[in-house]
Amino acid sequence: MFSRREPGGLLEALHTPSGLLPVPRKGRRASSWQFTARPAPGEVAAWSVRFAPKTPPELPAALAAALTTPDGVAGGEHYPHYLRPVGRPDEATVPLSAAGWNRNLARYECAWYAPDERALVVTGTSDEHGHGVANWLFAASRANDNVTLWHATAHPRTPTHLIHALCTAITDPTPVPRTRRPGQETGAATTVRP
């Protein structure tokens, strides 16, 4: 495992390499990431975001970039930006709406579906006291059935601008380089030559 804490001890990134994870029944091991923020060193985490194995690396990279890019607006009480109070979920989901994702309102949550319905974002929810009730969920399914390819979860108290960064990353249509051809379960692939 690789763990990196920022100098104040409030933010931690944990990477578990594929060799340390159990081997799935089919396929290969894959690495996973977890990011956690605390209000003070040694205290209980204020929020955490976990990326399951096989999550495209663009999502953890987008979160890492948002965490390490100071935007000039500190959180309350001189806390760093990654400990800001949570805003409204619709502030975080602007990229989903802009990318043409379909919004589905349920009793206590809001789900967003990609136009091809193979990717999903479910908003996190909190109770009337601001305590987290349900995590944010980011997921993608295979093209030939509804089996989940990967997922990521974010605590409901994850600051809105960080969730916004994940929503931006999941909707980014820019082709990304891959060293291996994807399987049939990923659906149609576009090949771009330099």
Side-chain angles (χ1 to χ4, degrees):
M1 277 194 262
F2 166 78
S3 178
R4 174 77 176 148
R5 284 197 174 108
E6 57 99 25
L10 304 181
L11 182 63
E12 179 181 27
L14 176 67
H15 178 252
T16 306
S18 59
L20 297 178
L21 294 172
V23 178
R25 275 188 245 152
K26 294 182 180 179
R28 303 172 36 166
R29 294 178 178 141
S31 355
S32 66
W33 283 92
Q34 177 177 333
F35 295 84
T36 305
R38 303 177 191 302
E43 287 197 21
V44 174
W47 59 263
S48 65
V49 177
R50 292 181 176 94
F51 297 94
K54 298 187 180 180
T55 300
E58 293 78 23
L59 267 73
L63 182 63
L67 287 168
T68 57
T69 304
D71 60 4
V73 182
E77 310 280 327
H78 304 289
Y79 283 117
H81 71 92
Y82 52 80
L83 288 174
R84 280 188 199 153
V86 176
R88 295 187 339 259
D90 61 330
E91 295 170 7
T93 57
V94 167
L96 303 175
S97 178
W101 285 43
N102 302 310
R103 184 176 182 189
N104 182 5
L105 297 172
R107 187 169 176 192
Y108 296 110
E109 62 188 28
C110 174
W112 289 85
Y113 294 91
D116 65 2
E117 296 189 357
R118 291 186 35 232
L120 162 77
V121 174
V122 178
T123 59
T125 58
S126 299
D127 64 16
E128 63 274 3
H129 305 291
H131 298 104
V133 176
N135 287 336
W136 284 82
L137 171 68
F138 299 81
S141 63
R142 297 192 313 196
N144 50 1
D145 56 27
N146 285 329
V147 173
T148 302
L149 286 170
W150 59 265
H151 71 278
T153 58
H155 190 277
R157 287 193 306 261
T158 305
T160 306
H161 70 290
L162 300 177
I163 298 295
H164 186 278
L166 292 171
C167 289
T168 299
I170 200 170
T171 60
D172 187 350
T174 307
V176 292
R178 296 289 187 246
T179 57
R180 159 182 341 196
R181 184 182 192 106
Q184 287 182 319
E185 70 274 1
T186 60
T190 302
T191 303
V192 179
R193 302 211 185 262

mmCIF file of all heavy atoms in Angstrom, residues 33-60:
data_model
loop_
_atom_site.group_PDB
_atom_site.id
_atom_site.type_symbol
_atom_site.label_atom_id
_atom_site.label_comp_id
_atom_site.label_asym_id
_atom_site.label_seq_id
_atom_site.Cartn_x
_atom_site.Cartn_y
_atom_site.Cartn_z
ATOM 1 N N TRP A 33 -8.109 3.203 -5.070
ATOM 2 C CA TRP A 33 -7.725 4.453 -4.420
ATOM 3 C C TRP A 33 -8.757 4.833 -3.371
ATOM 4 O O TRP A 33 -9.942 4.544 -3.522
ATOM 5 C CB TRP A 33 -7.666 5.591 -5.434
ATOM 6 C CG TRP A 33 -6.463 5.583 -6.296
ATOM 7 C CD1 TRP A 33 -6.337 4.983 -7.525
ATOM 8 C CD2 TRP A 33 -5.209 6.190 -6.027
ATOM 9 N NE1 TRP A 33 -5.078 5.194 -8.023
ATOM 10 C CE2 TRP A 33 -4.364 5.932 -7.121
ATOM 11 C CE3 TRP A 33 -4.710 6.933 -4.958
ATOM 12 C CZ2 TRP A 33 -3.060 6.395 -7.179
ATOM 13 C CZ3 TRP A 33 -3.409 7.385 -5.015
ATOM 14 C CH2 TRP A 33 -2.598 7.121 -6.116
ATOM 15 N N GLN A 34 -8.279 5.534 -2.323
ATOM 16 C CA GLN A 34 -9.171 6.121 -1.335
ATOM 17 C C GLN A 34 -8.573 7.456 -0.901
ATOM 18 O O GLN A 34 -7.380 7.552 -0.624
ATOM 19 C CB GLN A 34 -9.326 5.220 -0.121
ATOM 20 C CG GLN A 34 -10.194 5.827 0.953
ATOM 21 C CD GLN A 34 -10.398 4.892 2.126
ATOM 22 O OE1 GLN A 34 -10.336 3.680 1.972
ATOM 23 N NE2 GLN A 34 -10.639 5.452 3.292
ATOM 24 N N PHE A 35 -9.415 8.483 -0.858
ATOM 25 C CA PHE A 35 -9.006 9.812 -0.399
ATOM 26 C C PHE A 35 -9.843 10.145 0.828
ATOM 27 O O PHE A 35 -11.055 9.916 0.832
ATOM 28 C CB PHE A 35 -9.259 10.866 -1.486
ATOM 29 C CG PHE A 35 -8.425 10.662 -2.714
ATOM 30 C CD1 PHE A 35 -8.823 9.787 -3.708
ATOM 31 C CD2 PHE A 35 -7.232 11.347 -2.877
ATOM 32 C CE1 PHE A 35 -8.051 9.591 -4.848
ATOM 33 C CE2 PHE A 35 -6.449 11.163 -4.011
ATOM 34 C CZ PHE A 35 -6.863 10.283 -4.993
ATOM 35 N N THR A 36 -9.201 10.686 1.865
ATOM 36 C CA THR A 36 -9.879 10.983 3.125
ATOM 37 C C THR A 36 -9.425 12.343 3.641
ATOM 38 O O THR A 36 -8.249 12.684 3.536
ATOM 39 C CB THR A 36 -9.534 9.905 4.181
ATOM 40 O OG1 THR A 36 -9.852 8.626 3.638
ATOM 41 C CG2 THR A 36 -10.311 10.107 5.456
ATOM 42 N N ALA A 37 -10.361 13.095 4.231
ATOM 43 C CA ALA A 37 -10.022 14.374 4.855
ATOM 44 C C ALA A 37 -10.526 14.374 6.298
ATOM 45 O O ALA A 37 -11.594 13.844 6.596
ATOM 46 C CB ALA A 37 -10.645 15.536 4.085
ATOM 47 N N ARG A 38 -9.733 14.960 7.179
ATOM 48 C CA ARG A 38 -10.060 15.042 8.604
ATOM 49 C C ARG A 38 -10.005 16.500 9.057
ATOM 50 O O ARG A 38 -9.177 17.268 8.583
ATOM 51 C CB ARG A 38 -9.046 14.245 9.419
ATOM 52 C CG ARG A 38 -8.948 12.805 9.028
ATOM 53 C CD ARG A 38 -7.860 12.068 9.824
ATOM 54 N NE ARG A 38 -7.564 10.756 9.302
ATOM 55 C CZ ARG A 38 -8.400 9.754 9.152
ATOM 56 N NH1 ARG A 38 -9.647 9.912 9.476
ATOM 57 N NH2 ARG A 38 -8.024 8.594 8.677
ATOM 58 N N PRO A 39 -10.857 16.888 10.019
ATOM 59 C CA PRO A 39 -10.815 18.265 10.508
ATOM 60 C C PRO A 39 -9.559 18.566 11.327
ATOM 61 O O PRO A 39 -9.142 19.711 11.434
ATOM 62 C CB PRO A 39 -12.071 18.390 11.367
ATOM 63 C CG PRO A 39 -12.494 17.001 11.662
ATOM 64 C CD PRO A 39 -11.951 16.123 10.590
ATOM 65 N N ALA A 40 -8.938 17.522 11.909
ATOM 66 C CA ALA A 40 -7.688 17.674 12.666
ATOM 67 C C ALA A 40 -6.967 16.334 12.624
ATOM 68 O O ALA A 40 -7.601 15.275 12.472
ATOM 69 C CB ALA A 40 -7.971 18.086 14.109
ATOM 70 N N PRO A 41 -5.638 16.334 12.730
ATOM 71 C CA PRO A 41 -4.899 15.072 12.697
ATOM 72 C C PRO A 41 -5.414 14.089 13.760
ATOM 73 O O PRO A 41 -5.666 14.468 14.901
ATOM 74 C CB PRO A 41 -3.452 15.488 13.000
ATOM 75 C CG PRO A 41 -3.386 16.918 12.580
ATOM 76 C CD PRO A 41 -4.745 17.484 12.880
ATOM 77 N N GLY A 42 -5.611 12.851 13.359
ATOM 78 C CA GLY A 42 -6.060 11.807 14.273
ATOM 79 C C GLY A 42 -7.555 11.761 14.520
ATOM 80 O O GLY A 42 -8.046 10.851 15.178
ATOM 81 N N GLU A 43 -8.308 12.740 14.023
ATOM 82 C CA GLU A 43 -9.754 12.733 14.229
ATOM 83 C C GLU A 43 -10.449 11.845 13.201
ATOM 84 O O GLU A 43 -9.863 11.441 12.197
ATOM 85 C CB GLU A 43 -10.310 14.154 14.147
ATOM 86 C CG GLU A 43 -9.954 14.979 15.366
ATOM 87 C CD GLU A 43 -10.820 16.217 15.472
ATOM 88 O OE1 GLU A 43 -11.918 16.271 14.884
ATOM 89 O OE2 GLU A 43 -10.374 17.150 16.164
ATOM 90 N N VAL A 44 -11.709 11.571 13.457
ATOM 91 C CA VAL A 44 -12.526 10.788 12.538
ATOM 92 C C VAL A 44 -12.640 11.542 11.215
ATOM 93 O O VAL A 44 -12.730 12.773 11.204
ATOM 94 C CB VAL A 44 -13.932 10.556 13.145
ATOM 95 C CG1 VAL A 44 -14.860 9.863 12.162
ATOM 96 C CG2 VAL A 44 -13.823 9.760 14.423
ATOM 97 N N ALA A 45 -12.642 10.816 10.131
ATOM 98 C CA ALA A 45 -12.711 11.437 8.808
ATOM 99 C C ALA A 45 -13.995 12.245 8.644
ATOM 100 O O ALA A 45 -15.075 11.798 9.029
ATOM 101 C CB ALA A 45 -12.624 10.368 7.723
ATOM 102 N N ALA A 46 -13.854 13.430 8.057
ATOM 103 C CA ALA A 46 -15.012 14.250 7.717
ATOM 104 C C ALA A 46 -15.701 13.684 6.481
ATOM 105 O O ALA A 46 -16.917 13.719 6.347
ATOM 106 C CB ALA A 46 -14.587 15.692 7.462
ATOM 107 N N TRP A 47 -14.898 13.165 5.561
ATOM 108 C CA TRP A 47 -15.424 12.534 4.347
ATOM 109 C C TRP A 47 -14.351 11.635 3.766
ATOM 110 O O TRP A 47 -13.176 11.756 4.073
ATOM 111 C CB TRP A 47 -15.873 13.570 3.311
ATOM 112 C CG TRP A 47 -14.815 14.511 2.840
ATOM 113 C CD1 TRP A 47 -14.579 15.774 3.292
ATOM 114 C CD2 TRP A 47 -13.818 14.272 1.825
ATOM 115 N NE1 TRP A 47 -13.509 16.327 2.628
ATOM 116 C CE2 TRP A 47 -13.022 15.428 1.721
ATOM 117 C CE3 TRP A 47 -13.526 13.189 1.001
ATOM 118 C CZ2 TRP A 47 -11.958 15.542 0.829
ATOM 119 C CZ3 TRP A 47 -12.466 13.305 0.122
ATOM 120 C CH2 TRP A 47 -11.697 14.476 0.031
ATOM 121 N N SER A 48 -14.796 10.722 2.899
ATOM 122 C CA SER A 48 -13.857 9.901 2.132
ATOM 123 C C SER A 48 -14.492 9.569 0.790
ATOM 124 O O SER A 48 -15.716 9.543 0.653
ATOM 125 C CB SER A 48 -13.472 8.622 2.878
ATOM 126 O OG SER A 48 -14.593 7.795 3.021
ATOM 127 N N VAL A 49 -13.641 9.375 -0.185
ATOM 128 C CA VAL A 49 -14.065 8.954 -1.523
ATOM 129 C C VAL A 49 -13.279 7.695 -1.841
ATOM 130 O O VAL A 49 -12.055 7.672 -1.706
ATOM 131 C CB VAL A 49 -13.785 10.046 -2.588
ATOM 132 C CG1 VAL A 49 -14.173 9.553 -3.973
ATOM 133 C CG2 VAL A 49 -14.524 11.330 -2.241
ATOM 134 N N ARG A 50 -13.992 6.645 -2.250
ATOM 135 C CA ARG A 50 -13.353 5.363 -2.556
ATOM 136 C C ARG A 50 -13.618 4.996 -4.008
ATOM 137 O O ARG A 50 -14.745 5.096 -4.480
ATOM 138 C CB ARG A 50 -13.903 4.273 -1.652
ATOM 139 C CG ARG A 50 -13.519 4.447 -0.217
ATOM 140 C CD ARG A 50 -14.084 3.307 0.644
ATOM 141 N NE ARG A 50 -13.630 3.440 2.010
ATOM 142 C CZ ARG A 50 -14.317 4.059 2.959
ATOM 143 N NH1 ARG A 50 -15.477 4.590 2.682
ATOM 144 N NH2 ARG A 50 -13.835 4.138 4.179
ATOM 145 N N PHE A 51 -12.558 4.551 -4.660
ATOM 146 C CA PHE A 51 -12.651 4.110 -6.048
ATOM 147 C C PHE A 51 -12.385 2.616 -6.073
ATOM 148 O O PHE A 51 -11.319 2.167 -5.646
ATOM 149 C CB PHE A 51 -11.621 4.836 -6.914
ATOM 150 C CG PHE A 51 -11.855 6.320 -6.972
ATOM 151 C CD1 PHE A 51 -11.200 7.171 -6.088
ATOM 152 C CD2 PHE A 51 -12.733 6.860 -7.894
ATOM 153 C CE1 PHE A 51 -11.412 8.536 -6.129
ATOM 154 C CE2 PHE A 51 -12.951 8.226 -7.941
ATOM 155 C CZ PHE A 51 -12.292 9.073 -7.053
ATOM 156 N N ALA A 52 -13.333 1.858 -6.559
ATOM 157 C CA ALA A 52 -13.180 0.413 -6.644
ATOM 158 C C ALA A 52 -12.158 0.056 -7.712
ATOM 159 O O ALA A 52 -11.866 0.863 -8.604
ATOM 160 C CB ALA A 52 -14.522 -0.236 -6.986
ATOM 161 N N PRO A 53 -11.603 -1.160 -7.625
ATOM 162 C CA PRO A 53 -10.720 -1.599 -8.709
ATOM 163 C C PRO A 53 -11.439 -1.457 -10.056
ATOM 164 O O PRO A 53 -12.653 -1.576 -10.138
ATOM 165 C CB PRO A 53 -10.459 -3.066 -8.376
ATOM 166 C CG PRO A 53 -10.634 -3.141 -6.896
ATOM 167 C CD PRO A 53 -11.742 -2.165 -6.586
ATOM 168 N N LYS A 54 -10.681 -1.212 -11.072
ATOM 169 C CA LYS A 54 -11.147 -1.036 -12.451
ATOM 170 C C LYS A 54 -11.813 0.301 -12.724
ATOM 171 O O LYS A 54 -12.283 0.542 -13.823
ATOM 172 C CB LYS A 54 -12.065 -2.186 -12.889
ATOM 173 C CG LYS A 54 -11.388 -3.524 -12.892
ATOM 174 C CD LYS A 54 -12.285 -4.590 -13.484
ATOM 175 C CE LYS A 54 -11.585 -5.927 -13.469
ATOM 176 N NZ LYS A 54 -12.391 -6.977 -14.021
ATOM 177 N N THR A 55 -11.889 1.186 -11.722
ATOM 178 C CA THR A 55 -12.391 2.534 -11.994
ATOM 179 C C THR A 55 -11.400 3.200 -12.942
ATOM 180 O O THR A 55 -10.191 3.137 -12.715
ATOM 181 C CB THR A 55 -12.496 3.360 -10.695
ATOM 182 O OG1 THR A 55 -13.387 2.699 -9.803
ATOM 183 C CG2 THR A 55 -13.002 4.763 -10.974
ATOM 184 N N PRO A 56 -11.871 3.834 -14.011
ATOM 185 C CA PRO A 56 -10.939 4.498 -14.923
ATOM 186 C C PRO A 56 -10.057 5.489 -14.160
ATOM 187 O O PRO A 56 -10.542 6.225 -13.296
ATOM 188 C CB PRO A 56 -11.858 5.225 -15.910
ATOM 189 C CG PRO A 56 -13.138 4.470 -15.855
ATOM 190 C CD PRO A 56 -13.260 3.980 -14.441
ATOM 191 N N PRO A 57 -8.776 5.517 -14.457
ATOM 192 C CA PRO A 57 -7.850 6.377 -13.705
ATOM 193 C C PRO A 57 -8.172 7.865 -13.820
ATOM 194 O O PRO A 57 -7.722 8.653 -13.000
ATOM 195 C CB PRO A 57 -6.482 6.053 -14.305
ATOM 196 C CG PRO A 57 -6.763 5.450 -15.634
ATOM 197 C CD PRO A 57 -8.098 4.781 -15.526
ATOM 198 N N GLU A 58 -8.963 8.253 -14.808
ATOM 199 C CA GLU A 58 -9.309 9.661 -14.960
ATOM 200 C C GLU A 58 -10.130 10.172 -13.777
ATOM 201 O O GLU A 58 -10.054 11.357 -13.440
ATOM 202 C CB GLU A 58 -10.090 9.891 -16.265
ATOM 203 C CG GLU A 58 -9.282 9.663 -17.513
ATOM 204 C CD GLU A 58 -9.105 8.184 -17.867
ATOM 205 O OE1 GLU A 58 -9.922 7.341 -17.431
ATOM 206 O OE2 GLU A 58 -8.124 7.876 -18.572
ATOM 207 N N LEU A 59 -10.905 9.317 -13.120
ATOM 208 C CA LEU A 59 -11.700 9.781 -11.985
ATOM 209 C C LEU A 59 -10.846 10.057 -10.750
ATOM 210 O O LEU A 59 -10.930 11.158 -10.188
ATOM 211 C CB LEU A 59 -12.848 8.809 -11.689
ATOM 212 C CG LEU A 59 -14.140 9.217 -12.403
ATOM 213 C CD1 LEU A 59 -14.081 8.968 -13.872
ATOM 214 C CD2 LEU A 59 -15.320 8.583 -11.766
ATOM 215 N N PRO A 60 -10.013 9.109 -10.280
ATOM 216 C CA PRO A 60 -9.145 9.469 -9.151
ATOM 217 C C PRO A 60 -8.218 10.641 -9.493
ATOM 218 O O PRO A 60 -7.939 11.483 -8.630
ATOM 219 C CB PRO A 60 -8.338 8.201 -8.871
ATOM 220 C CG PRO A 60 -9.046 7.101 -9.543
ATOM 221 C CD PRO A 60 -9.875 7.697 -10.624
#
